[in-house]
Amino acid sequence: MAADRDAAPGVWDGHLLLLHATERERRTGVGSWVRRGLELGEKVIYAEAPAASAESLVAVLAADGIDAETALRDGRLAMLPLEEFYPPEGQHAPIQRSLAEGFSAVRMSVDVDAALQWLLPSTYPAIERGVEEMVRTLPVSVMCQYSRSATTGPGLDAIVADHLTGVRQASFGTSPNSHGLVLHGELDVSNRDVIDAVVSAAVAGVGKVLTLDLADVAFLDVDSGRRLEGLSRDFRAAGGLLRLLAPRPNVERVLRLVKVDERAGISLAVA
């Protein structure tokens, strides 16, 4: 994994949660996300906090080798104040304007700490649900930036559930594929609560079969192996099947060590 290039593995499209522990992680994630949009020829819209400046974002992107100044002049990158990013008529307005300019797709991002300087915290869950609907029905990708230190407990669980297939951390991420949820990176004590939130949301939102693709998991510690079994226990007791797909040899060894493959309702499918 190229940690200096991407804040988390996986594709930077869809409804994403950038869960950053440091400013460096946030900047790295923003750089990867902007780069992806510009390379695809999309309109990139970035929300500014009241005290922010276009120059600060340009400097961040320039450090990642992105010519943001030209993109701003060409209209491929737009910096919007929060009141324009969240207009009274809803976020469909800036999206439709961008599509009318001839762009095939739009991507938008905001640091939620900054957004909450403009919006009431009680309104934000409804905004997230609206964003999820936009991403499903329009050519739009949205990256929501949340501070790791301020996102804990039930709040973390709810936010992860809203972005289940697009979690991005420094060492862990999720993405969808045709047969289930793909896990990327490392599963260990450093991101245990995030992984718990991901697995809990996944078993709650699936039918009878949940497939976790582990092919891109580079490391899994013993406790994380046990927690995959424990967090899925009620789901499996109700007749559900947890499929653990294509683990690497080192990950497979840990799963077999903790006897996950011997538990009822768990299928370990080795590539």
Side-chain angles (χ1 to χ4, degrees):
M1 178 173 57
D4 288 339
R5 176 66 179 274
D6 290 315
V11 176
W12 292 86
D13 304 327
H15 187 194
L16 304 181
L17 164 62
L18 178 61
L19 198 56
H20 55 89
T22 66
E23 179 62 13
R24 181 180 179 183
E25 287 179 10
R26 190 185 75 82
R27 291 182 175 193
T28 302
V30 169
S32 296
W33 177 85
V34 171
R35 179 189 296 276
R36 171 77 173 171
L38 295 178
E39 288 177 347
L40 291 175
E42 299 176 351
K43 176 69 173 254
V44 179
I45 301 174
Y46 194 88
E48 293 183 282
S53 67
E55 288 76 15
S56 62
L57 178 63
V58 167
V60 167
L61 298 177
D64 198 38
I66 300 170
D67 186 0
E69 291 186 352
T70 299
L72 282 166
R73 288 196 301 269
D74 293 347
R76 293 176 291 129
L77 172 64
M79 301 283 290
L80 296 185
L82 291 169
E83 60 268 27
E84 293 183 26
F85 192 81
Y86 295 108
E89 63 271 29
Q91 287 182 292
H92 283 79
I95 292 170
Q96 295 300 341
R97 285 197 299 270
S98 298
L99 295 175
E101 293 171 7
F103 291 95
S104 61
V106 182
R107 63 181 50 215
M108 308 173 75
S109 186
V110 64
D111 187 325
V112 175
D113 287 343
L116 294 180
Q117 299 177 34
W118 177 257
L119 302 167
L120 292 174
S122 59
T123 67
Y124 212 78
I127 290 174
E128 286 282 24
R129 290 190 293 272
V131 167
E132 181 66 22
E133 178 65 19
M134 287 193 306
V135 170
R136 282 200 306 265
T137 59
L138 294 169
V140 175
S141 288
V142 178
M143 185 174 74
C144 307
Q145 305 166 42
Y146 281 84
S147 165
R148 183 71 181 84
S149 62
T151 310
T152 58
L156 174 65
D157 294 340
I159 290 164
V160 166
D162 285 338
H163 306 81
L164 182 59
T165 60
V167 175
R168 298 289 179 271
Q169 275 192 289
S171 61
F172 175 72
T174 66
S175 60
N177 67 11
S178 59
H179 52 253
L181 185 66
V182 182
L183 306 185
H184 306 268
E186 301 174 359
L187 283 66
D188 58 26
V189 67
S190 69
N191 50 28
R192 188 146 296 148
D193 54 348
V194 179
I195 295 163
D196 285 359
V198 165
V199 176
S200 296
V203 297
V206 76
K208 287 296 185 180
V209 179
L210 171 62
T211 299
L212 297 180
D213 188 327
L214 305 181
D216 200 32
V217 173
F219 176 80
L220 176 140
D221 66 9
V222 168
D223 188 61
S224 296
R226 293 191 177 112
R227 295 178 80 82
L228 287 176
E229 187 276 328
L231 291 164
S232 65
R233 193 171 296 151
D234 290 345
F235 165 71
R236 292 181 289 111
L241 172 65
L242 174 63
R243 298 179 68 239
L244 302 177
L245 183 64
R248 299 181 185 185
N250 62 310
V251 173
E252 180 192 352
R253 283 195 295 272
V254 173
L255 294 172
R256 293 194 188 279
L257 175 67
V258 298
K259 302 185 185 304
V260 165
D261 57 313
E262 299 178 15
R263 306 296 184 183
I266 296 182
S267 169
L268 182 58
V270 179

